[in-house]
């Protein structure tokens, strides 16, 4: 595949994750606030943001968008995002303050604590704690 690369550059680069929704402006505002992101592009039917770490998300208008219904089987998990955070409680307060809602906030067993949420349009996502799991001293 070396012939597919020009001067050490990959032929394909990851682009942007696009979420369909009825109101892209409102959903972009939720993720801008959650990710401390900036607006990078907007048109009548699509809004794109980029976070400080370079994560790119776009929101495309679909007047017939059906919100995901996870954990129910109908319309389940049309897309799922995972976000890494250092402070689950602080991130949860931000999510709820921006209009998101908890789906499953019981701590998962195992090396990584995680919690499930839905954005205002119903897309589910998970927060995973990135802190060390070493036992607390004292």
């Amino acid at each position: 595949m070396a012939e597919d690369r020009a001067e050490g550059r990959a032929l394909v680069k990851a682009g942007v994750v696009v979420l369909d929704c009825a109101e892209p402006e409102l959903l972009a505002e939720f993720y801008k606030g959650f990710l401390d992101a900036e607006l990078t592009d907007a048109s009548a039917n699509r809004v794109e943001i980029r976070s400080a770490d370079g994560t790119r998300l776009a929101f495309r208008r679909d007047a017939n968008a059906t919100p995901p219904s996870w954990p129910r089987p109908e319309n389940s998990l049309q897309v799922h995002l995972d976000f890494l955070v250092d402070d689950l409680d602080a991130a949860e307060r931000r999510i709820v303050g921006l209009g998101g809602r908890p789906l499953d906030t019981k701590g998962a067993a195992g090396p990584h604590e995680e919690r499930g949420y839905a954005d205002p349009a119903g897309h589910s996502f998970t927060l995973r704690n990135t802190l060390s799991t070493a036992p607390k001293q004292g």
Side-chain angles (χ1 to χ4, degrees):
M1 292 283 158
E3 65 274 4
D4 290 340
R5 295 184 184 181
E7 299 178 22
R9 293 183 304 229
L11 178 63
V12 178
K13 295 179 183 177
V16 59
V17 174
V18 181
L19 302 177
D20 287 350
C21 58
E23 300 179 83
E25 301 83 5
L26 294 178
L27 199 54
E29 283 301 315
F30 171 81
Y31 282 101
K32 272 178 53 183
F34 176 52
L35 298 172
D36 291 326
E38 64 180 359
L39 178 70
T40 58
D41 190 35
S43 68
N45 291 313
R46 189 172 186 273
V47 178
E48 185 174 325
I49 64 170
R50 181 176 41 241
S51 69
D53 73 353
T55 300
R56 294 172 55 201
L57 294 175
F59 311 94
R60 185 178 69 131
R61 188 176 314 283
D62 178 355
N64 297 316
T66 302
S69 61
W70 188 90
R72 297 185 317 272
E74 64 278 2
N75 298 322
S76 182
L77 286 184
Q78 296 169 0
V79 67
H80 182 83
L81 303 170
D82 283 352
F83 295 103
L84 303 175
V85 298
D86 292 332
D87 186 333
L88 285 164
D89 294 331
E92 180 172 310
R93 285 190 295 274
R94 180 179 286 184
I95 289 164
V96 172
L98 291 166
R101 62 185 167 83
L103 294 176
D104 180 11
T105 57
K106 297 184 298 278
H112 300 285
E113 186 180 357
E114 58 184 47
R115 299 177 186 174
Y117 299 89
D119 66 27
H123 302 105
S124 67
F125 60 93
T126 299
L127 298 184
R128 295 187 63 202
N129 195 341
T130 59
L131 292 179
S132 168
T133 58
K136 293 181 181 178
Q137 299 294 319

